[in-house]
């Protein structure tokens, strides 16, 4: 398999090498063309000979592999005849003891969840309810449900009980047979004699007969297939007798397939807190020592072990079991900590962790496996931005084209599926609930790194692991740089280079086009540089280039137009100079992430960049020699744009700008900002009518009046107004927007003295920010307004009392009041006295007064 994989790498490389020479064919005409062709033929004679030789070598290698495959198949057939392979499949074995019957010492942190599940089982409506418990492998789903299933209150409540372990390799016939046997055994009856010959319908009839008059509970543990519920639901009849079905799974898709009633319940199991994790670890590691408590000299290293587990009970119990029999000294435990990675491969206590996590990987469809392995490129505990990740997947070719969707939409769908399978954890969310950044659990990452080495997927170079993989390296992640490593990692087979350390030399960077000439991804986002070699123009296959913090990126002007395959260019915080007109030649570019690109520098080229989806901070401005209105019309040709930022907008361009924006039907994010003279330049936007897809809008600059078209944006979730200088309260216009979740008024956006949130208004709003509204002295909140508000943040406003009606905000979780008058501080939290009764229901309150006094109140 390794030889076949490397042969496929060589095939891909030789094709890409050939394409480079094809693209270098001369374009001249006539006699000049003939002369150029002769010169080009001579210049490329040796490279073409090398490519031809490489093709012959690859064919020889592939022929040898195919011969070995035939020999292997002959051997396999011989074994089959001898009955060694007659089962036709690999049975999934159980890598650990049955978690339904763990000791109390191994069950910590489930108390509240257990009580909640018991309540769902024994209380509630008489209709049959499906309860799903979902979470990543090792979180303790089976353990938790086992404790609930065996609880005396539950066993007494139900007439009939059954526990069925489903797993990945289930067959419906075996599952129904096991269920029927469970039910018959409980009733002390013999199963039907013809049970081995029953078809699916017969099984369903028999199970329904057994459950007809009973209040039953059936656990389906470890469900992987979304088809399961459709196959068994007819057997699980709803007899209106308070019956319950419990599903444990790692996949939200399975959960969604089981949700058929508003009464159905879902509990998403989370990792344990550090305190609970430490409690569980000590109960296991010190159960025969120090009365289950952690000795003082082992507290620090115990904390390190617990941190490594990141709240995963399976890992905590396994590592605690390993240490239970070790000498209780820091020296012995430090040896275990340093060798933990190798111990995972051989120690019986720890092998099960990797196997359980490995099942989730094995269950992935092929197109998601590479996407998951890509997390092995990033350093430990790295929170990667979702857009950065999915754009790199696209550049790698992992994302399939689907009709009616952009590849970005499909890539986001892949990420959502990995999250739904509990393999990827969301680090932060956008306001509308999408993954803004994400990461993988440390122990899952350990499994990923092993897979990466086995599959030659990538080489991760760090202080912890500087060993080199055998064979070809396809992707290189550099977290630690050294001269010794440079020679061993330079390879023409590498397609992606991501650098996470600032200590790279100019010599190494300069050699990139020579040693990594077939690169598709070059990411220096986390490596600030002040140099970019012009030789990078030879990276003809480059699709993703990030120099986000590079202060020497203006050198790109010398070669950027050569990168004709570029799809993502991230040069934020870089000086552009004359680069803009060269960028216009990149017709495949989809995401241009820059700052202060001047519109007039893109003339005679902007309209041809029809693949663009993201264009940030385009400076409109004025140029004496150019017709800005005509340039704005060019912008209207970019029909694929989804995110657009326009700054330095001069007064008088509003009508032309509205016409342009109306030509962009796919726009999802729009930022419009006037030039630096905010007091006098008015953003005049008379009519925008066709932004059905718009979800985020930011207007920064003076408005004569609040735009009437904004409340008509039915899908808007985020609205930010800055420096608008509105005198009329805009809340009445906005209060009925159906999906508005985030509202920001900042820096004199509103110059009135009072804001009034009326009853029934802003039903979906979750976050409200009021910043530097210098005349605002009163906030009134009717009961029935802001019903969903979770965060309220006030900064530099002249509020001297608690907002009137804040006690009605039952879902408010955070109240931040920064740099407010001292009177506000005294009103909310007087020295030595209790906080104001109107905010006692808020879990977290932070207050800073003008006098720089800070108080944090936890309830």
């Amino acid at each position: 398999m390794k030889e076949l994989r490397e042969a496929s790498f060589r095939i891909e490389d030789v094709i890409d090498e050939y394409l480079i020479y094809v693209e270098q064919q001369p374009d001249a005409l006539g006699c000049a063309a003939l002369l150029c062709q002769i010169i080009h033929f001579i210049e490329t004679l040796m490279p073409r000979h090398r490519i031809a030789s490489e093709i012959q070598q690859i064919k020889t290698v592939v022929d040898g592999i195919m011969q070995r495959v035939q020999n292997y198949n002959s051997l396999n057939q011989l074994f089959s005849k001898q009955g060694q392979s007659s089962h036709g499949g690999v049975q999934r074995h159980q890598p650990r003891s049955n978690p339904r019957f763990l000791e109390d010492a191994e069950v910590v942190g489930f108390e509240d969840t257990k009580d909640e599940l018991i309540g769902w089982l024994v209380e509630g409506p008489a209709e049959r309810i499906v309860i799903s418990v979902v979470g990543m492998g090792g979180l303790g789903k089976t353990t938790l449900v086992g404790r609930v299933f065996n609880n005396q209150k539950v066993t007494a409540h139900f007439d009939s009980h059954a526990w069925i372990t489903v797993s990945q390799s289930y067959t419906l016939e075996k599952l129904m047979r096991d269920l029927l046997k469970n039910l018959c055994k409980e009733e002390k009856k013999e199963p039907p004699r013809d049970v081995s010959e029953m078809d699916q319908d017969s099984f369903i009839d028999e199970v329904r007969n057994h459950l007809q008059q009973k209040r039953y509970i059936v656990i389906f543990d470890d469900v992987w297939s979304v088809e399961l519920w459709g196959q068994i639901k007819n057997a699980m009849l709803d007899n209106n007798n308070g019956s319950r079905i419990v599903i444990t799974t790692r996949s939200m898709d399975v959960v969604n397939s089981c949700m058929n009633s508003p009464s159905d319940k879902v509990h998403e199991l989370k990792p344990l807190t550090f305190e609970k994790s430490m409690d569980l670890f000590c109960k296991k590691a010190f159960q025969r020592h120090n009365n289950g408590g952690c000795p003082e000299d082992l507290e620090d290293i115990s904390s390190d072990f617990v941190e490594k587990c990141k709240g995963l009970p399976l890992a905590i119990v396994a590592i605690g079991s390993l240490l239970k029999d070790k000498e209780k000294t820091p020296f012995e435990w430090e040896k275990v900590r340093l060798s933990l990675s190798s111990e995972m491969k051989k120690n019986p206590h720890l092998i099960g962790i990797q196997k359980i996590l490995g099942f989730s990987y094995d269950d992935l469809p092929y197109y998601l496996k590479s996407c998951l392995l890509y997390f092995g490129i990033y350093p430990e505990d790295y929170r990667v931005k979702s857009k950065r990740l999915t754009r790199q997947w696209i550049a790698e070719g992992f994302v399939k084209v689907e009709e009616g969707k952009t590849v970005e939409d499909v890539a986001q769908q892949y990420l959502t599926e990995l999250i739904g399978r509990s393999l990827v954890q969301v680090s932060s969310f956008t306001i509308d609930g999408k993954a803004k950044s994400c990461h993988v659990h440390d122990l899952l990452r350990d499994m990923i790194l092993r897979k990466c080495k086995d599959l030659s997927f990538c080489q991760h170079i760090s202080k912890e692991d500087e060993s080199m993989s055998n064979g070809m390296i396809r992707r290189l992640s550099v977290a630690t740089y050294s001269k010794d490593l440079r020679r061993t990692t330079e390879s023409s087979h590498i397609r992606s280079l991501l650098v996470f350390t600032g200590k790279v030399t100019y010599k190494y960077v300069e050699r990139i086009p020579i040693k990594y000439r077939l690169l598709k991804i070059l990411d220096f986002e986390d490596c600030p540089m002040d140099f970019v070699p012009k030789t990078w123009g030879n990276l003809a296959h480059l699709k993703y280039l990030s120099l986000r913090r590079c202060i020497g990126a203006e050198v790109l002007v010398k070669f950027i137009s050569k990168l004709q395959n570029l799809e993502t260019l991230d040069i934020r915080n870089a000086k552009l100079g004359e680069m803009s007109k060269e960028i216009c030649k990149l017709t495949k570019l989809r995401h241009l992430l820059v700052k202060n690109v001047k519109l007039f520098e893109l003339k005679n080229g902007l309209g041809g960049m029809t693949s663009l989806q993201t264009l940030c901070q385009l400076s409109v401005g004025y140029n004496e020699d150019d017709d800005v209105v005509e340039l704005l019309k060019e912008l209207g040709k970019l029909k694929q744009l989804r995110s657009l930022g326009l700054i330095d907008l001069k007064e008088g361009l509003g009508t032309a700008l509205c016409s342009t924006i109306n030509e962009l039907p796919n726009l999802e994010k729009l930022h419009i900002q006037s030039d630096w003279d905010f007091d006098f330049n008015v953003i005049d936007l008379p009519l925008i009518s066709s932004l059905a897809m718009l979800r985020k809008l930011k207007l920064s600059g003076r408005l004569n009046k609040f735009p009437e078209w904004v409340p008509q944006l039915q899908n808007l979730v985020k609205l930010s107004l800055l420096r608008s200088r509105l005198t009329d309260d805009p809340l009445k216009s906005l209060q009925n927007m159906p999906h508005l979740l985030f509202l920001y008024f900042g820096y004199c956006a509103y110059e009135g003295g009072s804001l009034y949130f009326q009853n029934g208004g802003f039903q979906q709003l979750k976050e409200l920010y009021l910043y530097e509204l210098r005349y605002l002295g009163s906030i009134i909140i009717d009961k029935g307004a802001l019903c969903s508000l979770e965060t309220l943040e006030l900064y530099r406003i002249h509020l001297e009392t608690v907002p009137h009606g804040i006690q009605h905000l039952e879902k408010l979780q955070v109240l931040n009041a920064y740099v407010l008058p001292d009177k506000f501080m005294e009103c909310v939290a007087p020295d030595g006295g209790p906080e104001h009764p109107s905010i006692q229901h808020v879990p977290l309150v932070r207050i800073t007064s003008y006098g720089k006094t800070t108080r944090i109140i936890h309830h």
Side-chain angles (χ1 to χ4, degrees), residues 16-17 19-20 517-520 539-543 565:
D16 286 347
E17 287 275 8
L19 287 175
I20 290 176
R517 59 180 316 210
L518 299 179
L519 277 178
K520 290 182 178 179
L539 298 172
H541 291 287
L542 202 63
K543 292 186 175 184
N565 289 304

Side-chain angles (χ1 to χ4, degrees), residues 401-624:
V401 177
E402 293 186 14
E403 189 174 353
K405 298 179 180 178
T406 66
V407 284
E408 286 79 7
D409 290 338
V410 178
Q412 183 61 44
Q413 179 182 308
Y414 288 3
L415 180 58
T416 301
E417 189 170 348
L418 288 172
I419 294 169
R421 287 171 175 263
S422 304
L423 288 169
V424 173
Q425 297 175 327
V426 180
S427 309
S428 61
F429 290 91
T430 61
I431 189 62
D432 49 346
K434 296 179 181 178
K436 185 176 183 179
S437 62
C438 51
H439 66 283
V440 292
H441 193 282
D442 281 0
L443 295 173
L444 183 63
R445 182 175 177 273
D446 289 343
M447 183 272 291
I448 287 173
L449 290 180
R450 273 187 277 277
K451 293 281 185 185
C452 284
K453 282 193 175 182
D454 292 343
L455 300 173
S456 302
F457 186 84
C458 78
Q459 174 68 50
H460 188 89
I461 299 174
S462 64
K463 291 180 181 178
E464 293 77 26
D465 183 11
E466 294 190 1
S467 61
M468 297 306 302
S469 299
N470 294 321
M472 294 183 183
I473 302 170
R474 213 56 176 162
R475 297 166 188 87
L476 184 61
S477 171
V478 182
T480 300
Y481 178 79
S482 71
K483 292 180 180 179
D484 292 335
L485 286 173
R486 189 188 73 194
R487 290 189 295 272
T488 55
T489 59
E490 288 181 340
S491 166
S492 62
H493 300 291
I494 289 175
R495 293 311 185 91
S496 299
L497 175 62
L498 289 86
V499 181
F500 299 93
T501 174
K503 298 179 181 179
V504 291
T505 64
Y506 180 82
K507 189 173 182 180
Y508 178 76
V509 173
E510 192 177 36
R511 289 165 63 87
I512 285 175
I514 302 169
K515 297 300 180 180
Y516 311 120
R517 59 180 316 210
L518 299 179
L519 277 178
K520 290 182 178 179
I521 292 176
L522 184 55
D523 188 337
F524 276 79
E525 178 171 326
D526 295 284
C527 177
M529 299 190 304
D530 56 1
F531 49 83
V532 176
K534 61 183 180 181
T535 52
W536 280 15
N538 296 325
L539 298 172
H541 291 287
L542 202 63
K543 292 186 175 184
Y544 182 102
L545 175 61
S546 177
L547 298 169
R548 184 168 181 178
R549 294 172 178 84
C550 179
I551 60 175
E554 61 268 17
V555 179
L556 286 171
V557 70
K558 297 178 180 179
F559 65 82
I560 193 69
S561 62
K562 294 182 181 180
L563 306 180
Q564 285 296 304
N565 289 304
L566 207 59
E567 295 174 350
T568 297
L569 177 60
D570 187 350
I571 45 176
R572 286 171 281 188
N573 300 334
K575 296 179 180 178
L576 295 181
E578 299 177 353
M579 196 189 315
S580 302
K581 61 183 69 174
E582 298 298 315
I583 289 175
C584 286
K585 298 175 183 177
L586 304 177
T587 56
K588 294 181 182 179
L589 199 64
R590 302 167 73 85
H591 306 285
L592 178 55
L593 306 167
V594 294
K595 284 192 174 181
N596 298 324
V597 176
K598 291 180 171 54
L599 181 62
F600 69 84
E601 291 178 350
L602 299 175
K603 65 179 180 178
N604 303 322
L606 178 62
M609 301 178 72
T610 54
S611 298
L612 267 184
Q613 294 185 20
T614 306
L615 179 56
C616 297
Q617 294 228 15
L618 180 63
S619 176
V620 179
Y622 272 127
N623 192 54
E624 293 179 1

Side-chain angles (χ1 to χ4, degrees), residues 8-221:
S8 72
F9 291 166
R10 292 176 66 183
I11 291 169
E12 185 182 4
D13 290 347
V14 79
I15 290 171
D16 286 347
E17 287 275 8
Y18 177 73
L19 287 175
I20 290 176
Y21 294 111
V22 169
E23 291 175 358
Q24 290 175 348
Q25 290 292 334
D27 296 327
L29 301 174
C31 295
L34 180 60
L35 180 60
C36 287
Q37 288 172 5
I38 292 171
I39 295 172
H40 182 75
F41 176 81
I42 294 171
E43 288 177 343
T44 60
L45 189 60
M46 287 300 293
R48 286 188 289 111
H49 181 267
R50 180 171 51 78
I51 289 174
S53 299
E54 174 71 1
I55 291 172
Q56 290 300 324
Q57 290 177 26
I58 293 172
K59 289 169 74 173
T60 301
V61 169
V62 173
D63 287 343
I65 293 172
M66 295 307 295
Q67 184 60 52
R68 286 192 292 282
V69 169
Q70 291 175 8
N71 295 342
Y72 174 79
N73 286 338
S74 300
L75 203 60
N76 196 37
Q77 290 172 10
L78 178 63
F79 286 146
S80 295
K81 290 177 182 178
Q82 294 175 352
Q84 300 299 313
S85 303
S86 58
H87 294 294
V90 179
Q91 292 298 312
R92 179 175 185 249
H93 63 280
Q94 182 65 281
R96 57 187 168 127
S97 59
N98 194 327
R100 289 172 59 191
F101 306 108
L102 293 178
E103 305 167 15
D104 286 340
E106 299 182 25
V107 184
V108 170
F110 290 147
E111 295 80 7
D112 293 340
T113 304
K114 184 181 75 171
D115 292 341
E116 180 184 55
L117 290 181
I118 290 173
W120 288 350
L121 290 173
V122 303
E123 299 168 6
E127 67 177 298
R128 179 203 64 200
I129 292 177
V130 179
I131 300 169
S132 300
V133 179
V134 61
M136 73 175 289
L139 273 180
K141 301 179 295 294
T142 301
T143 303
L144 168 64
V145 173
R147 303 290 292 179
V148 171
F149 183 73
N150 294 316
N151 183 273
Q152 220 172 21
K153 188 175 181 180
V154 172
T155 55
H157 184 76
F158 293 97
D159 307 318
S160 190
H161 314 75
W163 181 292
I164 306 298
T165 300
V166 181
S167 79
Q168 290 165 297
S169 56
Y170 84 96
T171 63
L172 185 60
E173 289 74 16
K174 183 179 184 304
L175 186 147
M176 297 300 289
R177 190 180 299 117
D178 290 346
L179 177 56
L180 193 56
K181 287 179 178 178
N182 266 263
L183 297 173
C184 291
K185 182 179 180 181
E186 190 175 53
E187 296 174 11
K188 298 181 179 179
K189 294 180 180 178
E190 287 293 324
R193 292 183 180 179
D194 58 346
V195 68
S196 60
E197 301 175 4
M198 284 185 178
D199 60 18
Q200 184 174 328
D201 290 339
S202 300
F203 274 124
I204 291 174
D205 289 339
E206 282 289 338
V207 171
R208 288 176 67 90
N209 288 336
H210 278 273
L211 300 177
Q212 194 69 45
Q213 303 298 326
K214 296 183 176 68
R215 180 189 295 137
Y216 65 86
I217 177 172
V218 178
I219 313 293
F220 292 100
D221 182 39

Side-chain angles (χ1 to χ4, degrees), residues 831-845:
D831 284 330
E835 65 272 16
H836 196 284
S838 295
I839 64 167
Q840 289 182 356
H841 67 292
V842 184
L844 178 59
V845 180

Side-chain angles (χ1 to χ4, degrees), residues 762-807:
F762 298 99
Q763 291 295 294
Q764 303 301 322
L765 199 70
K766 290 185 176 181
E767 298 183 18
L768 174 62
Y769 297 85
L770 304 175
Y771 269 43
E772 292 206 15
L773 305 180
R774 56 188 175 184
Y775 300 110
L776 185 63
S778 171
I779 298 175
I780 302 170
I781 305 169
D782 279 350
K783 186 174 184 179
L786 298 171
C787 294
S788 303
L789 196 68
E790 297 174 359
T791 299
L792 174 60
E793 191 160 306
L794 312 172
Y795 174 73
R796 285 189 180 274
I797 62 176
H798 290 283
L799 196 65
E800 296 184 348
T801 62
V802 176
H804 180 74
I806 195 172
Q807 68 273 14

